[in-house]
Structure formats: structure tokens, C-alpha cells
Amino acid sequence: MGKHGLYPGHDPSSRTVVTVGNFDGVHLGHRAILSLVLKRAQELECQPLVLTFDPHPLKVLNPEAQLRLLTTPAQKVELLKSAGVSVLVVPFTKEFAAIPAQEFVRNYFGERLKAREVVVGHDYRFGSKRTGDIELLKEMGQTLGFTVQVVWAVELDSVVVSSSLIRAMLRLGKLDEANRLLGRDYGVTGQVVAGKGRGAKLLGVPTANILPENDLLPASGIYAVLVTRDGEHLPGVANIGTCPTFDNQEEMTLEVHLLGFDGDLYGERLQVDFVARLREERRFPSIDELASQIRADMDAARQVLGQAR
Ligand code: RBF
Ligand code: MG
């Protein structure tokens, strides 16, 4: 990135209404911020822009915390762009983290982005050791030529929408609640890798085994899913778990059976959106009993997905 920044998606000649943050999950709280950015950009005839970081700052500053993000960097950019804003991804390093708050504001909101307005969440802090706050931003805006808008937390059913709450709900198998807070269905991307071939042979139900790119899989269980393949959405049923009927694998796997499809998916990259959680994974006393339960799951998924559209 050059000193005066040529960023993909950013027109350097235009002034911006800009927000900054991690935006993991691009959930309803984030969407409230994005809406205000879009509205103000239109009113002020500026470019709506999101400044975000890759990797997530906590992964650089506190790797021991093993933060499990909801979105991959690519998903995040795609979700932000489809909300209608331009996206500037700043590589986050320890050196970047050491930039004093004032310098960050002058350099980014002032020089590079020519901010006309900066939109931030109510608890936003920035700069080295998080010393920068909204007061500092407002003060510096007066000399650098931008105003500051503060967005309050979004509540749904009197809980504050947050990425950490959504992570917890996904882990607990509360998919419906997680999806409501996200404002979309939780989705995982990944490549189809070789499985054991057991599904087709023993159960008559071939599955695509997906190597997830996301840090976070929903709780173990059986799910109705929509699979995106080359921009097309296909109905399916997914299993997340260890297949305890067989050999109790140690690792959790994600397998998808596409309803009414029997092509080869090996090597393809798919996105799996989790629409509904159907049941828990169980150990069945016989392969026949598992096979008939899977047939019932396929019917349940068809029902759920038929209603969802
Ligand atoms: N394996 C289990 O051991 N218990 C289950 O409850 C279970 N449910 C499944 C439901 C669906 C819809 C699918 C597609 C698979 C399920 N499996 C389950 C995984 C199954 O054992 C696996 O697909 C094959 O063994 C091939 O790896
Ligand atoms: Mg398989």
C-alpha cells in the first residue's frame, strides 16, 4: 500500500463517510452502523467506506485467547460489500498496533480517507493501548474537517447483539437465535475433500466432506442447509459430528448430502448456510436404523427448506 494509499474499492479523490471496526459476523449491530454510514454518505455526497483489519487484532495481540471468528476474511468483505459500502482492509501487525491514537486519526481519517464524517460504535477505542476514544476523535475532527456520529448498541429481545453472544449460541446449538442476531443464516465455506466413501456404500447417502475455512462450526448435530455452488443455492442436509455409530472419530467433521443431486463435488469450494437444526447426533445400534433416521432427516430438511422459500 502506497503512502497515500491506493486501496481496492476506494476512490482516493472522493471524501468519505467512514466507520472502522472488526465487524466479525456482520451482524445486526454492525448493520445498524452500516445503515447510518450509507445514509450519511448519501446526504453528504461522500463515499461510504468501512475500514477493517486482517487478521483480527486479537489474533495478533492475544493469540493465546484462540478467538474463533464467525466470518472468514473473504466472507466479511463480501458481506460488507453486499451491504453497499466500499471496504478497505488494513493488514494488522504489531507495528500497526503501536501507532499512537492521534497519528492513526491524522493518517487514516485525515490524509488517506479525507473523512467528512466518522461513524463509530458507542464504546469504540483505538490506537496503541486503546488510548484513543470518541472525545479525542471529535476534538481532532474539528481541525481535520470531520464530524463524528455515535451508534448505540442494538438490542433484540432486550439482549445486546454481539459477536461473542452469537458465537456462544452457535456452540450451544441455538441456531435460530444466532441467525436472528446475525440477520442471516450462519454460513461456513470450505473445499470438498475425500471422505471414507462410507456414506454412499453403507447408507446409500453420499456426503460431501467439507474442510471448513471458518474457525467456528455450529454445535454437533443434524442441520437443514442451503449450499451455494457457483452462485446456485441447493437444498441439503448436513451432519456435524464424530459419526459415533461407526468409529468415534476424534475430530468433528462437516458432511453435506445434497437433496436430489448426485454429481461429483470433489475439489469444489462450497458455502453451507445453516437454516435449521433438526436434531442431535446419536449413536445408533445398527446401520439400518441410522439409514432410516437419515431418510427421515432428509424429509424434515425438505419441509423446512420448502417453507423457508
Ligand atoms: N452418524 C451417526 O453416527 N449418528 C447420526 O445421528 C448421524 N446422523 C446423520 C444425519 C445425516 C443427515 C447425515 C448426512 C449423516 C449422519 N451421520 C450420522 C453421519 C454418517 O455416519 C456419515 O455420513 C457416514 O458414516 C459417512 O461418513
Ligand atoms: Mg462423505
Side-chain angles (χ1 to χ4, degrees), residues 196-200 203 205-207 209 222-223 237-239 242-246 249 255-257 279-284 290 293-294 297-298:
K196 298 193 174 72
R198 191 172 56 195
L203 299 163
V205 183
T207 60
N209 296 50
I222 316 310
Y223 293 85
V237 62
N239 178 54
T242 56
C243 307
T245 306
F246 296 90
Q249 322 151 178
E255 297 178 62
V256 182
H257 172 73
R279 66 174 175 89
E280 309 218 324
E281 188 187 45
R282 295 191 346 244
R283 182 173 199 286
F284 284 85
L290 171 59
Q293 176 60 54
I294 290 177
D297 296 333
M298 290 161 65

Side-chain angles (χ1 to χ4, degrees), residues 132-149:
D133 60 9
I134 291 170
E135 273 323 298
L136 176 70
L137 207 53
K138 284 182 174 166
E139 211 176 283
M140 292 189 71
Q142 287 175 3
T143 38
L144 294 171
F146 61 80
T147 46
V148 177
Q149 290 260 3

